[in-house]
Amino acid sequence: MKNLIERAHVARAAALDALSKVIDEKALEDFYVSFLAKKGSIPGLMALMKEAEDKAAFGAAVNKARTEVVAAYESKKAALAEKALNLRLAREKIDITLPGEPTPLGHVNPYRLIIDEVTDIFLEMGYEVCEGRDVETDKFNFELLNVPKDHPSRDMQDTFYFGDDYLLRTQTSAAQAHKMSEMEEKKPIRMIAPGKAYRRDDDDMTHSHQFAQIEGLVVDKDISIAHLKATLELFAKKMFGQKREIRLRSSYFPFTEPSVEVDVSCFNCGGKGCPMCKGTGWIEILGAGMVNPRVLEACGYDPEVYSGFAFGVGVERVAMLRYGIDDIRRFYQNDFRFLKDYPVK
Ligand code: DAH
């Protein structure tokens, strides 16, 4: 009997000794299999029960051995888990005092700032904003605007064509033709259409094959040139300062009759004459006119009932004046050194 109890002690001591040599979780698993699993040496002691004379004493010795080995195993397991966790924490430690990597923020192209500003001014006056489209047909870009196929004014707007009928619009005026034609009931219109236009120009400091325009169109009963003048004067004051005045110079556009070019008194020198206004005191900012009755008619409006005015602003030109930008190509080169001078929006 003594022998049997002795064997329980020996098995316990062997287990504790083996456990003391366990240094990682893999070895702990092997230990469990050898000593504590069903076929391990500690539960295996129970097989000796039938040989024991004093079964109670032997059972107590086996229980004691098992309890001790299990407790030692659990505490080893906990210690190893803690060690692994500490290792991981040390490896994944983040130094929150390190300065962060700056994330470069995008900037708004300055021509967009002008579009936003102009749009706000006209929204306040109750205009709606129409989108228009960059790829147009000959019909909307030219024909409905009173520019038939061999019209000489087409030469002024050398065009990018796709096949015979499709083209990159040369002017946002195409949006006027869309708006008027698409009105199911021919009701009054007050709209602006900002967007890009394209011409086969050789690019230099003042010419670009792509540029932005803002088109404006008002159609209603009894619209006269006085409305045109008052609207553009209000616009010029809001855009360039309350002291600004405008003047209209006679001009020619096929889609307006009469047509005018609109100058604003120089916002740099107040009209005295400076390099910005080339000494004249005036700066040209847009083209405008009364909608040609032929355009109204082509787009389904009865020119006996309706009249209207229209205008087109060159956006980059205004941006160049406003921000002192000397080269129109900067607007599309996407050079961050240029863009970074303008606000983040
Ligand atoms: N479409 C003209 C251009 O690109 C600008 C323009 C002039 C638009 C007079 C108009 C207008 O609506 O009435 O040069």
Side-chain angles (χ1 to χ4, degrees):
M1 177 64 204
K2 253 219 150 107
N3 249 348
L4 280 185
I5 291 185
E6 192 58 28
R7 281 177 67 172
H9 288 324
V10 169
R12 174 182 136 270
L16 292 178
D17 182 50
L19 189 62
S20 73
K21 297 192 177 107
V22 164
I23 50 158
D24 61 25
E25 283 173 324
K26 169 79 184 73
L28 186 69
E29 247 174 62
D30 293 344
F31 169 85
Y32 186 87
V33 172
S34 308
F35 293 92
L36 287 173
K38 233 184 199 159
K39 290 189 178 144
S41 59
I42 303 291
L45 288 170
M46 277 313 204
L48 302 174
M49 186 62 92
K50 52 186 177 306
E51 291 169 33
E53 289 153 29
D54 186 345
K55 293 191 188 321
F58 179 64
V62 171
N63 268 342
K64 185 166 180 289
R66 204 190 50 221
T67 312
E68 262 180 54
V69 174
V70 166
Y73 165 82
E74 291 297 347
S75 81
K76 185 82 177 195
K77 193 172 160 186
L80 284 178
E82 192 181 323
K83 195 170 131 202
L85 179 68
N86 285 338
L87 264 174
R88 220 180 98 198
L89 287 177
R91 211 175 337 118
E92 294 177 2
K93 191 164 149 192
I94 297 168
D95 182 353
I96 55 165
T97 64
L98 278 178
E101 290 270 326
T103 308
L105 289 175
H107 290 248
V108 178
N109 193 304
Y111 90 83
R112 267 272 143 211
L113 297 172
I114 298 293
I115 290 184
D116 289 350
E117 218 176 299
V118 175
T119 303
D120 283 348
I121 292 172
F122 283 97
L123 280 175
E124 255 178 43
M125 291 194 243
Y127 285 57
E128 66 173 306
V129 179
C130 294
E131 283 292 321
R133 55 201 81 176
D134 287 24
V135 175
E136 268 298 351
T137 56
D138 197 85
K139 178 177 164 193
F140 286 98
N141 193 77
F142 290 125
E143 273 170 51
L144 291 175
L145 294 167
N146 194 32
V147 187
K149 281 248 155 55
D150 41 20
H151 194 281
S153 81
R154 287 205 183 199
D155 297 346
M156 284 159 40
Q157 301 191 356
D158 205 354
T159 309
F160 291 108
Y161 281 98
F162 314 96
D164 284 341
D165 224 16
Y166 290 98
L167 48 86
L168 285 178
R169 72 173 167 198
T170 60
Q171 49 186 356
T172 49
S173 305
Q176 290 184 31
H178 270 289
K179 181 69 185 171
M180 285 188 274
S181 315
E182 282 157 19
M183 290 290 279
E184 274 180 24
E185 281 178 68
K186 299 299 176 188
K187 287 193 169 160
I189 296 172
R190 255 186 293 176
M191 69 125 200
I192 57 163
K196 284 242 177 192
Y198 307 83
R199 289 182 201 171
R200 287 165 54 113
D201 261 334
D202 288 331
D203 292 4
D204 60 23
M205 282 174 82
T206 51
H207 295 87
S208 168
H209 64 282
Q210 55 173 303
F211 50 92
Q213 292 184 325
I214 301 170
E215 194 73 16
L217 173 71
V218 170
V219 178
D220 206 338
K221 291 173 185 157
D222 301 322
I223 293 290
S224 75
I225 200 160
H227 295 112
L228 164 74
K229 186 164 186 222
T231 303
L232 295 179
E233 200 163 68
L234 190 61
F235 163 66
K237 285 183 190 296
K238 289 204 172 175
M239 191 76 196
F240 300 106
Q242 280 307 316
K243 296 211 176 103
R244 301 289 85 79
E245 283 166 29
I246 61 165
R247 73 175 183 189
L248 310 185
R249 278 180 295 112
S250 171
S251 184
Y252 171 76
F253 299 104
F255 31 86
T256 43
E257 182 57 41
S259 302
V260 290
E261 228 124 20
V262 180
D263 298 341
V264 61
S265 55
C266 180
F267 41 86
N268 191 41
C269 63
K272 288 198 265 329
C274 71
M276 188 184 261
C277 56
K278 300 197 180 86
T280 64
W282 295 94
I283 294 177
E284 183 192 323
I285 52 161
L286 55 87
M290 300 306 292
V291 182
N292 191 318
R294 298 176 66 144
V295 172
L296 287 171
E297 191 159 18
C299 297
Y301 277 80
D302 181 352
E304 298 294 325
V305 181
Y306 282 100
S307 53
F309 68 80
F311 54 89
V313 186
V315 176
E316 282 84 352
R317 193 179 144 66
V318 175
M320 287 167 87
L321 291 166
R322 164 70 64 87
Y323 301 119
I325 297 165
D326 59 355
D327 190 332
I328 195 169
R329 290 169 293 195
R330 297 205 188 285
F331 292 101
Y332 65 82
Q333 283 164 336
N334 283 332
D335 184 338
F336 203 66
R337 286 167 301 179
F338 167 65
L339 295 177
K340 76 175 176 28
D341 291 337
Y342 298 93
V344 175
K345 256 202 177 171

